[in-house]
Amino acid sequence: GAVVSQHPSWVICKSGTSVKIECRSLDFQATTMFWYRQFPKQSLMLMATSNEGSKATYEQGVEKDKFLINHASLTLSTLTVTSAHPEDSSFYICSARGRVYEQYFGPGTRLTVT
Amino acid sequence: RKEVEQDPGPFNVPEGATVAFNCTYSNSASQSFFWYRQDCRKEPKLLMSVYSSGNEDGRFTAQLNRASQYISLLIRDSKLSDSATYLCVSDSGNTPLVFGKGTRLSVIA
């Protein structure tokens, strides 16, 4: 299947700092990328949908000023968690969809805010 | 009512058993369906796509019943490595995929 990479795979940061997570589709052009968050033993929660070259669409309850998404090219989307707090600690997963409707996930980024 | 509903389990089955998961969806506009598998602390991985009435891939068979709006996943000859959470997913085309909460499977030696 298609390959989606995510970087970093894990990060520990101090409260109040910002963290940027990159998501890349390695062997296909992703017209749409999605960002999810998953807390332990809970299901995936969609945070936002981004299409290349346009503003992201955020799900209800997700602060767009806190979770900045940039989808600058067909192979790269970034999520920046600004002014991170301990409650932002979670598993952040991106996924990418190409021309076919199948969606592939990156390996995830485990964020711990101390 | 949630759009995609699954029995959360857990399903505890012995090695070699056959196990089936059902999933119901409420959006009749859903066009395609998928089964993903997610291991603990890992990302979901696409297991099977279900575009028409169903398909088979080795020990795995997925079936779709549009009239009743349910999808099933059958796993034959269960292996220890099949232990995971299985996510049922529907796709309406231009909207994000809708995930069920998943069904946990534990295959026991």
Side-chain angles (χ1 to χ4, degrees):
Chain A
V3 179
V4 176
S5 73
Q6 212 172 313
H7 177 80
S9 54
W10 60 271
V11 58
I12 301 173
C13 71
K14 290 189 176 179
S15 189
T17 60
S18 295
V19 173
K20 180 188 276 190
I21 303 170
E22 289 188 352
C23 176
R24 292 180 187 272
S25 57
L26 298 183
D27 55 357
F28 68 103
Q29 292 187 325
T31 53
T32 307
M33 285 187 169
F34 305 89
W35 287 95
Y36 294 84
R37 182 165 57 180
Q38 187 173 36
F39 293 104
K41 298 189 178 180
Q42 294 190 23
S43 55
L44 286 172
M45 188 192 83
L46 179 66
M47 298 176 68
T49 302
S50 75
N51 293 297
E52 184 261 341
S54 61
K55 288 185 179 179
T57 302
Y58 290 81
E59 295 299 301
Q60 195 172 11
V62 179
E63 299 173 57
K64 62 180 181 181
D65 294 330
K66 181 171 180 62
F67 298 99
L68 303 178
I69 292 171
N70 184 285
H71 192 160
S73 76
L74 283 170
T75 58
L76 174 64
S77 176
T78 61
L79 167 69
T80 301
V81 183
T82 62
S83 187
H85 290 286
E87 57 265 30
D88 298 324
S89 298
S90 186
F91 189 42
Y92 291 86
I93 314 174
C94 73
S95 70
R97 171 188 279 183
R99 290 178 301 165
V100 182
Y101 287 132
E102 292 176 353
Q103 190 169 315
Y104 295 92
F105 286 84
T109 296
R110 199 159 298 282
L111 170 64
T112 301
V113 185
T114 61
Chain B
R1 181 184 172 188
K2 299 194 189 310
E3 287 196 47
V4 175
E5 294 202 52
Q6 296 181 248
D7 181 341
F11 284 60
N12 299 314
V13 303
E15 268 187 295
T18 295
V19 61
F21 307 136
N22 288 328
C23 163
T24 58
Y25 62 95
S26 60
N27 185 356
S28 57
S30 298
Q31 298 171 5
S32 331
F33 303 88
F34 308 93
W35 282 100
Y36 280 78
R37 148 191 190 135
Q38 185 174 25
D39 292 285
C40 188
R41 298 172 72 85
K42 297 283 189 181
E43 78 279 16
K45 291 195 170 139
L46 181 64
L47 180 65
M48 296 183 78
S49 303
V50 190
Y51 293 115
S52 55
S53 61
N55 53 309
E56 184 174 320
D57 182 5
R59 297 182 295 110
F60 299 85
T61 301
Q63 289 195 312
L64 167 63
N65 184 319
R66 288 192 187 273
S68 302
Q69 295 189 193
Y70 82 79
I71 313 110
S72 64
L73 177 68
L74 184 77
I75 305 175
R76 288 180 295 276
D77 189 23
S78 300
K79 312 287 184 194
L80 293 175
S81 57
D82 294 332
S83 298
T85 296
Y86 291 82
L87 304 170
C88 175
V89 183
S90 75
D91 183 6
S92 303
N94 292 325
T95 57
L97 295 181
V98 180
F99 284 81
K101 290 189 178 296
T103 298
R104 269 183 45 215
L105 171 66
S106 289
V107 181
I108 305 161

